[in-house]
Amino acid sequence: MMEFQPHSTPKNTGWIEVIAGCMFSGKTEELIRRLRRAKIAKQNVKIFKPKIDNRYSIGDIVSHNEQSMPSILVVNAKEILEYLTNTQVVGIDEAQFFDIGIIEVCNQLANQGKRVIVAGLDQDYRGVPFEPMPQLLAIAEYITKTLAICVNCGNPADKTQRKIVSSERVLVGAADSYEARCRKCHYIPE
Ligand code: ZN
C-alpha cells in the first residue's frame, strides 16, 4: 500500500487527502492509521460516516481487520459542519454514500485550515466511478489509491466483484457478497 508521505507538511493552511480504492484494499485501515497518528500528536480529531452503513457497530468506523474508532453518524454532508468546534483533523469514511454537498463541505473545512482525510469506494460493482468520489479526487491535494489482491489470480486488484445477481447499486451489510478482482478477472454478474 502507498504511504502518505508529503515532502513537507503544509503550514498555516488546511488541505484534503483522499484514500480511494475497492473493497478489501485497506482504505479504512489507512484512514484509521492517519487519524491515530494525529491523535497521538494531541490534535483534535473527529470522524464522520454516513448513516446508511450499519454493517458493524453503529457509531464506530471499523476496518475489515476490525480496527475501530468512534465516529459520528450524519444523514447528509452539511451536518458535519455542526460538530466541528476546535476540530483540527476531520476524517470521513464511506464517502461514496454522501451527497454531492460533500465537495463544498470538504473545501470549506480545508479553507478554514483543517486537515480533511476522506476514504471511499472509487468504483461501484460494475466498475463505474462512484460519485462523489471522482469530484473529491479532483479537489484533493493528496491522493492515495489502495489496491487489494485479486482473489482469482493474485494480481493487484482495484475492482469490487459482486458474487450475487442484483441491480441495486449498494448492498449494505453484505461484505460476504463481494471480493476484490483485477481488471482481467472482474465481470458484471447477470
Ligand atoms: Zn485477476
Side-chain angles (χ1 to χ4, degrees), residues 4-65:
F4 172 70
Q5 289 172 329
H7 297 294
S8 63
T9 305
K11 296 264 187 296
N12 304 317
T13 180
W15 68 90
I16 299 169
E17 299 163 34
V18 171
I19 304 162
C22 61
M23 285 178 73
F24 313 107
S25 65
K27 296 182 301 296
T28 301
E29 207 178 317
E30 176 60 15
L31 176 65
I32 291 173
R33 189 186 72 82
R34 292 181 195 181
L35 295 172
R36 281 230 165 95
R37 292 205 311 182
K39 276 191 172 174
I40 290 165
K42 308 223 181 307
Q43 294 179 344
N44 192 330
V45 175
K46 284 219 173 69
I47 310 153
F48 299 89
K49 73 177 193 176
K51 221 160 201 165
I52 184 175
D53 185 359
N54 292 330
R55 271 187 301 194
Y56 303 95
S57 51
I58 290 170
D60 282 347
I61 60 167
V62 182
S63 68
H64 289 291
N65 74 355

Side-chain angles (χ1 to χ4, degrees), residues 4-190:
F4 172 70
Q5 289 172 329
H7 297 294
S8 63
T9 305
K11 296 264 187 296
N12 304 317
T13 180
W15 68 90
I16 299 169
E17 299 163 34
V18 171
I19 304 162
C22 61
M23 285 178 73
F24 313 107
S25 65
K27 296 182 301 296
T28 301
E29 207 178 317
E30 176 60 15
L31 176 65
I32 291 173
R33 189 186 72 82
R34 292 181 195 181
L35 295 172
R36 281 230 165 95
R37 292 205 311 182
K39 276 191 172 174
I40 290 165
K42 308 223 181 307
Q43 294 179 344
N44 192 330
V45 175
K46 284 219 173 69
I47 310 153
F48 299 89
K49 73 177 193 176
K51 221 160 201 165
I52 184 175
D53 185 359
N54 292 330
R55 271 187 301 194
Y56 303 95
S57 51
I58 290 170
D60 282 347
I61 60 167
V62 182
S63 68
H64 289 291
N65 74 355
E66 293 186 349
Q67 290 183 38
S68 72
M69 271 185 132
S71 68
I72 301 165
L73 295 171
V74 290
V75 290
N76 59 50
K78 272 224 158 72
E79 201 186 328
I80 292 173
L81 301 171
E82 296 168 18
Y83 291 93
L84 296 177
T85 324
N86 298 323
T87 305
Q88 296 159 289
V89 181
V90 180
I92 299 171
D93 198 18
E94 304 283 7
Q96 76 279 0
F97 294 141
F98 274 107
D99 53 285
I100 200 75
I102 194 76
I103 306 305
E104 199 187 319
V105 168
C106 288
N107 268 331
Q108 196 173 325
L109 298 178
N111 291 343
Q112 288 169 4
K114 301 183 199 308
R115 177 185 179 192
V116 183
I117 315 172
V118 187
L121 206 60
D122 58 356
Q123 300 163 61
D124 68 11
Y125 74 98
R126 301 164 297 175
V128 174
F130 209 143
E131 290 177 359
M133 290 302 290
Q135 289 84 350
L136 283 166
L137 287 160
I139 62 165
E141 275 89 350
Y142 302 101
I143 294 168
T144 302
K145 176 121 177 180
T146 51
L147 295 174
I149 294 168
C150 177
V151 169
N152 197 45
C153 77
N155 270 323
D158 91 323
K159 307 264 185 271
T160 301
Q161 178 68 54
R162 182 175 282 176
K163 297 190 284 179
I164 57 172
V165 176
S166 167
S167 58
E168 299 280 311
R169 195 171 199 193
V170 177
L171 299 174
V172 174
D176 292 352
S177 309
Y178 295 97
E179 63 189 28
R181 293 280 183 106
C182 72
R183 178 180 293 280
K184 204 178 66 178
C185 299
H186 175 261
Y187 65 94
I188 302 166
E190 55 190 351

